[in-house]
Amino acid sequence: MRKRRGKGDRKAQEKRRRARRYKVKRTIYTYECIDGNFTFYPVAYCHRYGGVLTLGLMDTHRCRERQCFRLEEDIHFE
């Protein structure tokens, strides 16, 4: 019989998600992210990948740290 893995602290996980979600104002439209998902919370647009980035994708792809010249952060999404 297999041993079940723990799911972690769900309360802390939901708290992190809520904090991350509400840093950016929700838009009316959905935008396609660079990973194929859709989001109401875009932060930047990357011309290299051809899609928008959320806060989580900004941390994952490190475009800001690499100072990618194709990244536009000051776009007004509406």
Side-chain angles (χ1 to χ4, degrees):
M1 187 170 169
R2 286 188 164 178
K3 187 175 181 180
R4 290 185 65 192
R5 293 180 58 189
K7 305 259 182 186
D9 191 359
R10 290 179 185 224
K11 190 174 183 180
Q13 188 179 38
E14 282 296 320
K15 187 177 178 182
R16 285 192 302 270
R17 283 186 186 146
R18 254 185 264 116
R20 187 172 56 227
R21 184 183 310 152
Y22 294 118
K23 285 182 181 178
V24 181
K25 187 178 177 187
R26 181 180 167 150
T27 59
I28 299 169
Y29 306 106
T30 58
Y31 294 93
E32 188 171 3
C33 295
I34 61 174
D35 60 355
N37 295 326
F38 291 91
T39 184
F40 285 107
Y41 305 97
V43 174
Y45 184 82
C46 186
H47 291 281
R48 179 179 182 190
Y49 296 112
V52 299
L53 294 141
T54 58
L55 286 174
L57 288 173
M58 289 286 282
D59 294 340
T60 303
H61 289 278
R62 300 185 313 241
C63 293
R64 190 182 297 143
E65 295 172 9
R66 294 176 183 162
Q67 297 176 352
C68 180
F69 63 92
R70 299 177 189 169
L71 181 70
E72 291 185 39
E73 290 188 74
D74 299 328
I75 296 178
H76 179 69
F77 293 99
E78 193 59 40

